Amino acid sequence: MSFKSKLLGTALLGGMMAASLVAANPASAQTAEFKTKQAGDIVIRARGIAMVPDEDTYDHNINGGTGHGELTNDVVPEVDFSYFVTDNIALELIAATTQHDLTWQNPSLDAGSVRLLPPTLTLQYHFMPESRWSPYVGAGINYTFFYDSKPGQFTSVDYDDGFGYAFQAGFDYAISGPWSVNFDVKKIYLDTDVSINNGGNTSKAHLDPWVFGLGVGYRF
C-alpha cells in the first residue's frame, strides 16, 4: 500500500471515529455538554500518525561514491497519555513504532529497512481550556530506539539510539461528555550515526521527522 493510500485511510478512519461519536449522542454536536480541561485530568488518545522524515543523510565514501540516504514515510496507529498539572498546563507522552526503508543515492543502493520506537515527552500549554475548541503548543524531549534493522545490499546497517527534542502544536475539539477529536503536528529533531558494513563506512543522519496525528481522546 502506498504512503498516500495509508494517509488517506488514516484520515478517513479518524473522521469515521469522530462521526460515530457524534451520531451516538442524542443531542447535536453543537448543544451537547462536554467536559472542560481541568487540573488532575488524565486524557488517553488513539491517533493515526504519519511519520515523514525530513532527512539530511550524508557520507564521503559509500561504495566509491558520495551521496545521501532517503527514508520512506510510514503511517501507523499511536497511543498517547496526557496529565493536566493545571487547567492550562499538561504533560503528554506518546508511544508508537514505525518502519522505514532506506535507499542510498549516488550510487543507488538498497540499504534495507529499520524500525523506530520514538517515545516523546512534551510539556504543553492549552489555550481556552473551558472552550469546546482548545488549541495548544508544546515542547519536549525524545529518545529514539532503532531496532529490527535489515541491511539490504550491505553486510550490515546499524543505527545509534539517541536523544532529540520536539516541538508541537494542535487542538482538541470537544464532542460530548469526556470525548474529543484531536489534531496534532510535531517536529522532532533527531540525529543518529549509521554504521554500514560492520563499521567499514559511517554516516551522520539528521532524520528530523514531521509527525502528523489525527484521532479521538477520552478524558478521565
Side-chain angles (χ1 to χ4, degrees):
M1 182 182 292
S2 68
F3 173 70
K4 289 184 178 179
S5 297
K6 287 184 177 181
L7 187 57
L8 178 60
T10 301
L12 289 174
L13 178 60
M16 290 171 62
M17 289 170 24
S20 65
L21 289 174
V22 174
N25 185 356
S28 70
Q30 295 300 319
T31 60
E33 294 182 358
F34 62 93
K35 181 174 170 56
T36 61
K37 295 177 175 179
Q38 299 175 3
D41 282 356
I42 296 174
V43 181
I44 299 177
R45 297 189 187 92
R47 287 191 287 221
I49 62 168
M51 180 170 280
V52 183
D54 185 20
E55 72 275 7
D56 179 11
T57 310
Y58 54 88
D59 189 271
H60 298 290
N61 185 19
I62 294 289
N63 282 16
T66 59
H68 64 281
E70 294 182 356
L71 284 172
T72 58
N73 308 321
D74 197 14
V75 176
V76 298
E78 173 244 62
V79 176
D80 63 89
F81 306 88
S82 295
Y83 175 74
F84 278 76
V85 181
T86 71
D87 292 356
N88 297 94
I89 298 174
L91 293 168
E92 180 195 71
L93 178 66
I94 69 169
T97 184
T98 59
Q99 182 176 16
H100 305 270
D101 296 327
L102 175 62
T103 302
W104 194 265
Q105 304 295 333
N106 188 29
S108 181
L109 298 167
D110 175 15
S113 64
V114 65
R115 292 182 181 272
L116 278 66
L117 178 63
T120 303
L121 178 66
T122 55
L123 178 67
Q124 304 170 333
Y125 185 85
H126 291 251
F127 304 91
M128 302 184 293
E130 297 182 355
S131 175
R132 184 181 293 276
W133 183 78
S134 178
Y136 59 85
V137 294
I141 59 173
N142 160 272
Y143 190 87
T144 297
F145 300 91
F146 296 86
Y147 70 100
D148 195 24
S149 173
K150 303 293 193 301
Q153 294 179 241
F154 298 100
T155 302
S156 67
V157 180
D158 298 308
Y159 304 79
D160 287 348
D161 302 339
F163 283 98
Y165 55 97
F167 297 97
Q168 72 178 144
F171 67 85
D172 294 302
Y173 182 81
I175 301 172
S176 175
W179 293 98
S180 61
V181 175
N182 173 263
F183 176 74
D184 184 89
V185 178
K186 291 183 179 67
K187 178 66 172 180
I188 300 175
Y189 291 90
L190 171 65
D191 294 346
T192 183
D193 291 321
V194 185
S195 177
I196 299 173
N197 292 338
N198 297 314
N201 301 102
T202 59
S203 177
K204 186 73 171 181
H206 306 286
L207 303 183
D208 300 345
W210 288 94
V211 183
F212 303 94
L214 175 65
V216 295
Y218 187 89
R219 183 177 305 280
F220 294 90

